[in-house]
Amino acid sequence: MKLKLILILLMTSFLGGCLFDKSPTGRHQALLYSEQDMAAMGKTSFEQMIKTQQVNRNPAVNAYVNCITQRIINELPGPKLHWQVVVFDSPQVNAFALPGGYIGVYTGLLRVANTPDQLATVLAHEVAHVLAQHGNEQVSRAQATDWGLKLTDWALGQAETEHRQLVMAALGLGAEYGVILPFGRAQETEADVMGLTLMAKAGFNPKASIALWHNMAKASGGANPPELLSTHPSNDSRIEELTKLQREAEPLYRQSMKQGLPQCRLGR
């Protein structure tokens, strides 16, 4: 029984951490879905959001967000993809990008990311998630973890293991806190690195990323969960890492200045 359980647990670990590809920064990734599959998921999700959430129709706000977004998109490698950008009327301090070329920005973010450079920090970060296939990575890892846990539960049931429910509960907690949450933090850090490079190339001042996260910390009022139990790095960790990255991003920004900086302004 012990040998069987060990084999099952090893298989669970394998399913949860299969390596099939590498991210743009060289980090190993498990990708179980095609780009076409992910684009279809992104399209369906985005269309559903447009139907269920209030879309902002203010021409000035939309022009401002699109101005920043377009500069960032112009710096993306590979074939040019048409990106659809929608501004949602919501107090949420958030934005997102989905596979297939879909970007959503909540008006609440504009009160915290209150300069074009700060907003570019967020948008470049979100686009970096798509560029690095983080959505594919997350759904793939969740699927693999689910398969592994179901297989373990089946094996425990076949062997009539005592305290089966307690064992499965412990495995579930281990999967969440030992795999899923740290994995999310790795993605967030990678998107910070890639996003900083992207915004600098697009002509937005990378130093604004530090100011943005000071604003985010202030807006959260200290309500963030401990970093250990969060899919995102803490604000302090983020600021520290972005500060270290300024030396690499600054030359890219200076180079972009020669091509002309973006003129994105929010008219009222």
Side-chain angles (χ1 to χ4, degrees):
M1 169 57 200
K2 288 184 178 180
L3 178 59
K4 178 186 286 188
L5 183 56
I6 290 173
L7 290 174
I8 293 297
L9 291 175
L10 286 174
M11 188 174 295
T12 301
S13 177
F14 171 78
L15 287 170
C18 292
L19 306 179
F20 299 102
D21 207 340
K22 286 188 177 181
S23 73
T25 65
R27 184 175 55 80
H28 291 299
Q29 293 179 300
L31 305 178
L32 303 182
Y33 298 90
S34 69
E35 290 186 16
Q36 293 75 15
D37 288 338
M38 294 306 300
M41 292 182 200
K43 183 175 185 291
T44 299
S45 297
F46 200 64
E47 289 176 346
Q48 184 64 25
M49 294 184 73
I50 292 175
K51 291 178 182 178
T52 58
Q53 300 190 35
Q54 185 173 345
V55 175
N56 181 281
R57 304 295 182 184
N58 185 312
V61 171
N62 280 268
Y64 172 66
V65 172
N66 274 277
C67 176
I68 297 171
T69 303
Q70 194 58 53
R71 287 288 298 230
I72 293 170
I73 290 171
N74 288 343
E75 297 301 323
L76 296 181
K80 298 303 178 184
L81 178 69
H82 173 72
W83 288 71
Q84 184 178 349
V85 183
V86 173
V87 180
F88 295 98
D89 271 325
S90 169
Q92 289 188 58
V93 182
N94 207 355
F96 63 86
L98 299 175
Y102 306 96
I103 294 175
V105 178
Y106 295 100
T107 52
L109 176 63
L110 303 182
R111 292 191 291 271
V112 178
N114 48 36
T115 70
D117 297 302
Q118 289 181 21
L119 184 57
T121 301
V122 179
L123 294 177
H125 171 95
E126 296 303 329
V127 169
H129 276 308
V130 176
L131 195 62
Q133 301 192 74
H134 288 165
N136 192 340
E137 199 174 4
Q138 283 291 71
V139 295
S140 296
R141 199 170 185 87
Q143 183 67 72
T145 300
D146 183 59
W147 288 339
L149 289 175
K150 286 181 179 178
L151 183 60
T152 302
D153 187 36
W154 173 83
L156 291 172
Q158 293 295 310
E160 298 182 354
T161 304
E162 293 184 11
H163 310 300
R164 172 184 174 188
Q165 291 183 343
L166 183 61
V167 171
M168 287 307 300
L171 285 173
L173 286 173
E176 180 177 359
Y177 294 119
V179 179
I180 297 173
L181 293 183
F183 188 75
R185 288 197 294 275
Q187 288 181 322
E188 288 297 322
T189 299
E190 187 170 58
D192 280 345
V193 173
M194 294 175 62
L196 198 69
T197 297
L198 195 55
M199 70 177 290
K201 287 182 176 180
F204 296 101
N205 192 338
K207 291 181 180 178
S209 62
I210 299 172
L212 168 75
W213 285 104
H214 279 296
N215 290 355
M216 288 288 196
K218 184 178 180 181
S220 69
N224 292 338
E227 186 169 356
L228 176 64
L229 303 182
S230 171
T231 58
H232 290 57
S234 70
N235 292 322
D236 289 342
S237 295
R238 214 158 206 164
I239 291 169
E240 181 180 357
E241 184 63 27
L242 288 168
T243 300
K244 293 178 183 177
L245 294 170
Q246 293 301 312
R247 181 178 298 180
E248 299 175 20
E250 187 64 29
L252 300 175
Y253 176 58
R254 288 199 300 268
Q255 182 63 33
S256 70
M257 293 174 68
K258 299 177 182 179
Q259 310 301 321
L261 296 179
Q263 301 299 312
C264 304
R265 299 289 182 268
L266 179 56
R268 299 293 182 179

